Amino acid sequence: MVAVDNLNLQIDAGEFLTLLGPSGCGKTTVLRMIAGLEIPDEGEIRIGDSRVFSSREGIFVSPAKRGIGLVFQSYALWPHMNVFENVAFGLQIQKLSKADIKRKVLSALEYMRLQGLEMRYPQQLSGGQQQRVALARMLVTQPSVFLMDEPLSNLDAKLRMEMRAEIKKLHRESKATTIYVTHDQNEALTMSTKVAVMNQGRIQQVSPPQELYKRPSNLFVADFIGSPTINFIFGKIIMKAEGTFLESEALTIPAPSLKEYVNRNVVAAIRPEDIRLFTERQENSVPAEVYAILPAGADLILQVKKGNLTLSIREMGETSLEVGDQVHLLFSMESMLFYDQETKVLLNASL
């Protein structure tokens, strides 16, 4: 079984790149290969100007000599060492003087707001404090590359939000190239300068977060990114006397920019926030029926049905609508994307 298949990825210095994808897609394997904890069958890995792995030339640089810092999901703190000793461990390996070790460790602990906890053991700390110790241990050796494997997955929602801010601050101030693994798209979209979406060992798209959300390059990325998920409308591009249209079983939508794709089976995709809902008929609106109302804090998610098609719509605030009410939908045509049904790839034309 192939864990990572023909991967080619370049990460610019100082970038915060997140490897995002479902469980088992190969993102942790990629991180471990960069770290030197897994050996690729073939290929080459460079960090800066140095080759740390080459199958052709038999080069393998050990993890300790790659200039990287690692933070794991499990924190990986030594239970028999106190906080000071855990953070100092990497510096002791480098054989620094006791005075330098003390100065660097105390500075790292102060930066991570862990002053006064030097003598405590990991089991005496909260999950958030343990994660800060793991980050301080990585930071203290001043690596040029930070590697983080789902470091926040064991924390509750409030702590995760706080630690996202801490990690972004750490990246901004250290200017270290950061590679971050997660299956949480909110983490990826809020923290990264670029996101690499993976599926079944292959990279699907590498883009800045906003581009990834607004113009996913294929149906997998479109479906994976966004909550609630994007709406898909399967249909065919047809030509009528009035112009070009997307025709599906449930509805027909004008598609004037898709003349070159007439008779092509396509998938129209539109985000829930790009559909407007009215109680009265509007010009070019589509009638539908309210199927479900799902409050989501400041947002409201409404599911509506039109024939066999169910669409999700995001609204702000409250609603007086009830299940079964008749409504009218207006699609933001400039936000609608079209994908080829067979290749699942984004078509050049969008409305």
Side-chain angles (χ1 to χ4, degrees), residues 192-313:
S192 318
T193 55
K194 278 189 183 172
V195 180
V197 179
M198 293 188 66
N199 186 39
Q200 298 181 343
R202 288 180 172 268
I203 288 182
Q204 304 293 310
Q205 183 173 354
V206 183
S207 297
Q210 197 64 12
E211 182 181 335
L212 195 73
Y213 186 80
K214 291 293 187 183
R215 288 191 66 80
S217 63
N218 60 45
L219 286 176
F220 174 82
V221 178
D223 191 40
F224 189 75
I225 299 294
S227 179
T229 55
I230 201 166
N231 296 295
F232 288 142
I233 304 168
F234 289 77
K236 185 175 185 177
I237 301 301
I238 63 167
M239 181 70 78
K240 294 184 173 183
E242 310 94 282
T244 310
F245 293 83
L246 166 72
E247 185 179 63
S248 74
E249 289 185 24
L251 48 79
T252 300
I253 304 170
S257 66
L258 296 181
K259 291 178 182 177
E260 62 183 294
Y261 298 110
V262 169
N263 295 324
R264 179 86 67 94
N265 291 322
V266 302
V267 184
I270 188 166
R271 296 285 178 195
E273 62 270 23
D274 293 323
I275 304 175
R276 295 177 64 195
L277 185 148
F278 297 88
T279 54
E280 301 291 335
R281 185 181 179 280
Q282 308 290 313
E283 186 180 359
N284 296 323
S285 65
V286 175
E289 180 180 307
V290 177
Y291 178 73
I293 300 172
L294 309 169
D299 292 342
L300 189 71
I301 308 302
L302 293 103
Q303 289 187 334
V304 301
K305 288 193 77 101
K306 169 67 174 170
N308 63 353
L309 178 67
T310 301
L311 299 169
S312 295
I313 301 170

Side-chain angles (χ1 to χ4, degrees), residues 7 34 61 90 101 104 112 121 133 168 177 187 192 212 228 231 244 267 273 284:
L7 181 131
I34 296 168
V61 177
I101 289 174
K104 286 176 177 286
M112 296 308 304
Y121 288 84
V133 174
K168 283 194 76 169
T177 304
E187 280 185 16
S192 318
L212 195 73
N231 296 295
T244 310
V267 184
E273 62 270 23
N284 296 323

Side-chain angles (χ1 to χ4, degrees), residues 326-343:
Q326 298 299 306
V327 293
H328 297 267
L329 312 179
L330 265 183
F331 297 95
S332 173
M333 304 310 280
E334 65 272 12
S335 301
M336 189 174 284
L337 302 170
F338 292 90
Y339 297 84
D340 184 278
Q341 276 193 35
E342 185 176 344
T343 64

Side-chain angles (χ1 to χ4, degrees), residues 39-97:
I39 300 176
D41 294 322
E42 60 183 6
E44 184 174 285
I45 300 172
R46 289 178 178 266
I47 298 178
D49 295 326
S50 303
R51 274 186 299 180
V52 296
F53 173 78
S54 172
S55 58
R56 181 180 298 175
E57 299 190 24
I59 296 171
F60 177 79
V61 177
S62 68
K65 295 180 180 178
R66 294 194 179 193
I68 58 171
L70 273 166
V71 176
F72 298 100
Q73 179 179 352
S74 62
Y75 315 139
L77 302 177
W78 298 103
H80 62 286
M81 293 183 183
N82 61 33
V83 168
F84 185 97
E85 292 166 338
N86 263 285
V87 176
F89 184 75
L91 298 176
Q92 291 168 343
I93 297 294
Q94 294 177 4
K95 301 190 183 304
L96 269 64
S97 69

